[in-house]
Amino acid sequence: MITETGILYLCATPIGNLEDMTFRAVRILKEADLIAAEDTRNSIRLLNHFDIHTPMTSYHEYNRIEKGRVLVTKLLEGRNIVLITDAGMPGISDPGEDLVRMCHEAGVTVTAVPGPCACVTALAVSGQHTRRFCFEAFLPSDKKERAEVLSELVEETRTILLYEAPHRLRKTLAELLERLGDRRMSICRELTKRYETVFETTLAEACVFYENQEPKGEYVLVLEGRQRLELIQKRQQDFQKISLLDHMQLYEEQGMDRKAAMKQVAKDRGVSKREIYQALLLEE
């Protein structure tokens, strides 16, 4: 006899305001065979509030592989499991992504019960551009990896979203100002909670503000991306620092033929291909 596999539900939970819990989320949590929670001590308060008595187990960063295998086995046996995090959408900057991957590999159906998500909420109310954005969550604690991420963000043209804890906020703001330069940003704090604050500022102004203001609560930082025109102009200026022959050689050594190299050099320098051709004739 073939047993139908269960379903893994990724269920969003409130990021601060319990009224943001959806009717569907409550129903799915009540009907499931098991709830896998990031911290059962936190989640029990949510379940008690909505009179949910489904059995619960822990699933978090430190047991994600071992417990993930246990959960997948239960799903393959036909049990329906709901994954929840302390707040927001499971799998977003969360070990739930590993469980989702394991389920896909095992042929288990994964679906979502959408709802609150701090990064999208912050972006929507930030006043920054929303069409294109990148989400970096918390910057890495490892110095080398952190430096690499910040280097990548220097030329990022999309709106940038970062999470930060209050005790690290000042350091992070100072690092961002040093590496990215001053730029517009919005600071979103305690979203959906009683003391929610959202204000537009700049990195430089934010650093000064928090010199005398003690950071409290959880933060989402929304930074404007680098202006494309500014980035193009900087790249053109950088290429002007090398000779035309060296610039051509750079692409020819990569396997480009002369015509293609001339076209790329012209694009890099913001001039026509004809100008490059005539300049090369003079240099040669």
Side-chain angles (χ1 to χ4, degrees):
M1 179 179 178
I2 300 176
T3 302
E4 185 177 348
T5 64
I7 297 174
L8 175 67
Y9 293 89
L10 305 177
C11 183
T13 54
I15 59 177
N17 193 322
L18 286 176
E19 292 181 357
D20 291 334
M21 192 73 167
T22 68
F23 291 114
R24 183 180 174 218
V26 172
R27 177 178 63 80
I28 293 295
L29 285 165
K30 286 183 176 181
E31 293 177 353
D33 297 300
L34 182 66
I35 296 171
E38 180 180 3
D39 189 330
T40 55
R41 295 167 299 179
N42 288 333
S43 295
I44 193 63
R45 293 194 287 269
L46 175 74
L47 301 189
N48 287 341
H49 182 83
F50 290 102
D51 196 28
I52 298 169
H53 304 286
T54 304
M56 186 165 48
T57 188
S58 65
Y59 175 83
H60 47 70
E61 178 65 29
Y62 303 105
N63 72 354
R64 57 193 171 88
I65 302 302
E66 181 181 351
K67 180 57 73 69
R69 295 192 185 104
V70 173
L71 295 176
V72 169
T73 297
K74 293 181 183 296
L75 287 159
L76 289 172
E77 292 172 350
R79 300 185 190 181
N80 292 325
I81 298 176
V82 181
L83 179 66
I84 59 175
T85 185
D86 284 347
M89 191 71 198
I92 305 300
S93 185
D94 173 81
E97 68 174 299
D98 295 295
L99 181 58
V100 171
R101 191 177 302 110
M102 293 170 73
C103 285
H104 283 302
E105 292 172 353
V108 172
T109 299
V110 180
T111 189
V113 183
C117 182
C119 62
V120 175
T121 302
L123 178 65
V125 300
S126 68
Q128 306 298 332
H129 293 298
T130 63
R131 188 177 71 84
R132 300 171 64 250
F133 63 93
C134 67
F135 173 55
E136 283 291 339
F138 290 95
L139 290 172
S141 56
D142 179 80
K143 288 185 178 180
K144 182 178 179 181
E145 187 181 359
R146 189 181 183 93
E148 290 173 351
V149 171
L150 288 170
S151 294
E152 291 173 0
L153 293 180
V154 169
E155 296 190 350
E156 178 59 67
T157 59
R158 296 170 295 179
T159 299
I160 301 166
L161 287 94
L162 300 168
Y163 287 160
E164 195 49 276
H167 64 281
R168 292 192 300 263
L169 181 67
R170 289 169 174 154
K171 177 185 176 182
T172 296
L173 288 172
E175 281 185 298
L176 291 169
L177 178 59
E178 179 184 359
R179 298 298 300 275
L180 277 60
D182 197 18
R183 60 178 68 186
R184 290 175 58 247
M185 70 174 302
S186 296
I187 296 181
C188 305
R189 171 183 166 274
E190 294 289 88
L191 290 169
T192 77
K193 300 177 184 177
R194 181 179 180 183
Y195 297 107
E196 172 183 295
T197 55
V198 178
F199 63 96
E200 289 190 75
T201 181
T202 67
L203 272 170
E205 290 172 352
C207 287
V208 172
F209 177 78
Y210 282 106
E211 284 180 1
N212 302 310
Q213 180 77 24
E214 187 67 28
K216 295 180 181 179
E218 299 299 319
Y219 290 84
V220 185
L221 309 179
V222 188
L223 290 83
E224 70 172 351
R226 188 160 186 174
Q227 298 299 313
R228 287 184 174 181
L229 179 59
E230 176 193 349
L231 191 58
I232 291 171
Q233 290 173 341
K234 181 182 180 300
R235 287 176 177 169
Q236 289 174 355
Q237 290 170 0
D238 289 342
F239 280 121
Q240 295 291 343
K241 297 175 184 178
I242 64 174
S243 72
L244 194 55
L245 290 176
D246 286 343
H247 200 164
M248 284 288 296
Q249 186 178 1
L250 176 69
Y251 291 116
E252 289 176 334
E253 287 179 349
Q254 294 176 15
M256 284 189 182
D257 59 37
R258 193 163 181 78
K259 184 176 181 181
M262 287 173 56
K263 183 177 180 180
Q264 186 60 50
V265 168
K267 182 178 180 181
D268 290 343
R269 292 176 176 251
V271 298
S272 69
K273 190 170 68 173
R274 184 179 184 84
E275 287 181 63
I276 298 299
Y277 176 73
Q278 291 175 340
L280 284 173
L281 288 177
L282 291 174
E283 289 199 22
E284 295 175 349

